[in-house]
Amino acid sequence: MEIVELLPTLHQVNLDFGQVYLWRDDDELTLVDTGTPGSGAAIDSAVASLGLARSAVRRILVTHGHEDHAGSAAEIRGWHGAPVYVHHADAPVVRGERRRAEPVITEFERPYWEQVTASGITSLAIPPSPVDTELVGGEELDFGGGAHVVAIPGHTAGSIAVHLPAHGVVFAGDTVATLPGQGVIPGVFNVDRTAMLESFRRLADLDPDVVCVGHGASVVGDAGRAMRAALS
């Protein structure tokens, strides 16, 4: 586990596979995504490194119902009952009622997809978690000076982003990624690439200063411009 400070109130927690985010309001934390199953201990260590107890986690936002984002939702909710927020279209996956939809793999994505499937990540079962609040997009949540939920279908039907306009921050899930030496790219492994690209444009139009991505280094500073450049 590695923890990276993006802002004094925002930390990226790099896990063995993927990453999660901790947003801090005084002594309260919001966890965005939960990693693969079994990531609770690493996230607990990250919380402790901020000088807080696990009870500081007051809410859990899941950007979409994939194994590396929803995998530890049940475990972390079990710490003390912090509510889990998921878009209604992906909520059945998080609750264990159905398997996630398979992505449509492009030729560019194929070698990366083969690496991911070889790792065994895609065959992991998500331990079922209650979903306390089903989102549709347009909600405002009580953290970060007002957190706006943005529905961004395409990577999955129920993908969401979370926009903190007071801080110029967007949590983009897997709709935005970065690659070493290439920078920002639209997300890969989508159920609907056309819809994902439209969602990517919507996030770029928010003109964030910071975009927290699902995989890769988050962009700190003029992130909206980097996103628009990725579409040109």
Side-chain angles (χ1 to χ4, degrees):
M1 183 275 294
E2 175 191 26
I3 186 165
V4 179
E5 180 179 295
L6 304 178
L7 299 172
T9 52
L10 174 61
H11 291 81
Q12 176 177 320
V13 182
N14 296 326
L15 305 171
D16 289 340
F17 185 89
Q19 54 219 41
V20 305
Y21 295 92
L22 291 167
W23 177 268
R24 183 168 185 168
D25 291 298
D26 297 321
D27 289 336
E28 294 186 5
L29 294 174
T30 298
L31 176 65
V32 181
D33 287 327
T34 69
T36 56
S39 296
I43 295 170
D44 192 12
S45 294
V47 170
S49 76
L50 301 178
L52 298 172
R54 58 171 59 174
S55 59
V57 177
R58 299 302 174 85
R59 61 191 64 80
I60 302 162
L61 275 66
V62 176
T63 61
H64 61 286
H66 280 174
E67 300 85 353
D68 52 328
H69 294 261
S72 291
E75 178 183 3
I76 296 167
R77 186 183 185 277
W79 289 353
H80 61 89
V84 173
Y85 296 73
V86 185
H87 190 278
H88 75 89
D90 280 14
V93 177
V94 176
R95 288 195 296 261
E97 296 167 358
R98 63 172 172 81
R99 172 77 174 160
R100 62 162 173 79
E102 292 297 323
V104 179
I105 304 301
T106 67
E107 286 306 307
F108 167 77
E109 296 168 356
R110 191 164 304 283
Y112 298 101
W113 180 247
E114 290 172 354
Q115 291 176 25
V116 170
T117 54
S119 74
I121 295 296
T122 58
S123 62
L124 294 174
I126 300 174
S129 172
V131 174
D132 299 279
T133 298
E134 292 192 17
L135 303 166
V136 298
E139 297 89 350
E140 182 172 334
L141 305 180
D142 187 21
F143 73 95
H148 297 176
V149 178
V150 183
I152 50 168
H155 183 65
T156 67
S159 289
I160 61 164
V162 181
H163 181 210
L164 307 183
H167 302 275
V169 172
V170 166
F171 299 94
D174 279 357
T175 297
V176 184
T178 60
L179 288 175
Q182 189 170 341
V184 174
I185 63 168
V188 297
F189 313 152
N190 306 291
V191 298
D192 185 334
R193 179 170 172 78
T194 299
M196 181 278 299
L197 288 172
E198 180 57 34
S199 293
F200 187 102
R201 291 186 185 94
R202 289 182 63 203
L203 296 184
D205 287 344
L206 295 174
D207 200 27
D209 191 53
V210 177
V211 62
C212 299
V213 302
H215 297 275
S218 292
V219 182
V220 179
D222 211 3
R225 182 184 62 81
M227 292 174 67
R228 289 189 293 274
L231 290 170
S232 62

